[in-house]
Amino acid sequence: MAVTVGRVFLAQPCTSASFIGNGNGKHIHRTAFGFSAKPGAAPSSHSRIVVRAQERPTWLPGLDPPPYLNGTLAGDFGFDPLGLGEDPESLKWYVQAELVHCRFAMAGVAGILLTDLLRVTGNSSLPVWYEAGAMKFSFASTTTLFIVQMILMGFVETKRYMDFINPGSQAEEDTFFGLEAALEGLEPGYPGGPILNPLGIAKDIKNAHEWKLKEIKNGRLAMMAMLGFFVQASVTHAGPIDNLVEHLSNPWHKTIIQTLANSSS
């Protein structure tokens, strides 16, 4: 048995190897099996030198990302199959648009799950989330609420766009009723101040790469969750908590496969 193992070991024609610096300008040759040769010694004829650079993570392993996506943007994994970011100015706007969509999706997912949980547990008479927009309120008509929302959202989005065009312009004195310092942005897309950043997270936004990456990952997950909520509502005519409770009641027979099969029949 030992002889057989030894023959198999010696029969290997080549092994991966690497050169590792030892701190004094010399290099040590080390094979994949962990053996070291003397400094300056040439590798044996049965060894093969393999030089590997650290590969950048991409959305598809082995994919070469486009040159304009160089990994400096938060959450850049080289995904742009339509080439929308080839123009640098357009890429800047798409980055801001994705941030806004991510934040709305995260707020929407949290709101849907919370209100749906309250509704299912009987703690509230809230409607299912996709019917909430049809609710009537006694303090104002639907038309009034719509107009007020358009005015407020239009004002906020206009200021956001102006800050994108001219970074820092919205924090200048006398641009917002003396509240400029409280709303001062850290950089376009990342508002600051005690109102929009009360915890003081990532004040050094230029070096907050980890925080930016966490936000964009959570935001993309939330956008996928919202897409799932839309499909669920269309197919099952129920909220996400209702769907979860139904699935848990019979996990082997209440799945997406059976649901889609029943909806198509």
Side-chain angles (χ1 to χ4, degrees), residues 245-262:
V245 170
E246 184 179 5
H247 167 66
L248 294 178
S249 66
N250 191 355
W252 297 106
H253 298 91
K254 298 289 185 179
T255 66
I256 187 174
I257 299 176
Q258 283 84 3
T259 301
L260 294 176
N262 293 333

Side-chain angles (χ1 to χ4, degrees), residues 1 13 17 24 35 39 44 62 70 78 142-143 171 178 187 199 206 233:
M1 181 67 178
N24 57 5
F35 296 101
S44 65
N70 54 15
T142 302
T143 303
E187 70 177 33
L199 300 180
K206 299 296 182 183

Side-chain angles (χ1 to χ4, degrees), residues 136-141:
K136 303 292 183 181
F137 298 94
S138 58
F139 61 88
S141 66

